[in-house]
Amino acid sequence: MLASLGVGHEGYEPASELFRVLSAPLRLAIIDQLTAGPAAVHALVAASGESQPLISQHLRVLRAAKLIRVQTNGRERVYSLTDEHVAHIVTDAIRHTSEPSADQEENLP
């Protein structure tokens, strides 16, 4: 695949950084929650069961990576995905890891 892109391994750095940002389970949960549409911080806190400071910390990382954006409505901050590409990556990863593995399928009665 490297040859088909015409680049060395350094050409994969942006994708590697994306996976690094997505490596935290709580960030995956936030992205997954935002696939349903924009959400305020309090809704993300309620959905995750985590503290508001912890959610805000992960939101900052996702914003810095330009995966989400924020809109301020008065005192409320509403977060949304910047595009659907990341939603597909996260949804596919969750679906993939939820499927029985080949080893599990062989052991079925």
Side-chain angles (χ1 to χ4, degrees):
M1 191 68 171
L2 286 170
S4 66
L5 292 176
V7 296
H9 68 280
E10 63 277 351
Y12 291 97
E13 284 298 322
S16 177
E17 178 62 18
L18 171 64
F19 283 116
R20 187 194 66 73
V21 169
L22 293 176
S23 68
L26 188 50
R27 289 187 212 131
L28 289 174
I30 291 169
I31 294 290
D32 190 41
Q33 181 73 25
L34 293 176
T35 60
V41 174
H42 64 84
L44 296 170
V45 168
S48 71
E50 299 293 342
S51 69
Q52 186 274 326
L54 183 60
I55 295 295
S56 292
Q57 177 184 10
H58 285 283
L59 289 169
R60 277 192 293 280
V61 172
L62 293 168
R63 279 186 68 204
K66 297 182 178 20
L67 300 180
I68 63 171
R69 62 177 155 262
V70 63
Q71 182 177 4
T72 304
N73 297 329
R75 292 180 51 181
E76 186 174 65
R77 297 172 66 100
V78 178
Y79 291 86
S80 61
L81 298 175
T82 55
D83 64 48
E84 294 302 311
H85 291 103
V86 173
H88 291 294
I89 292 168
V90 170
T91 301
D92 287 347
I94 292 168
R95 187 176 301 134
H96 173 75
T97 57
S98 301
E99 295 172 348
S101 69
D103 292 342
Q104 291 172 334
E105 289 177 2
E106 291 175 7
N107 295 330
L108 293 177

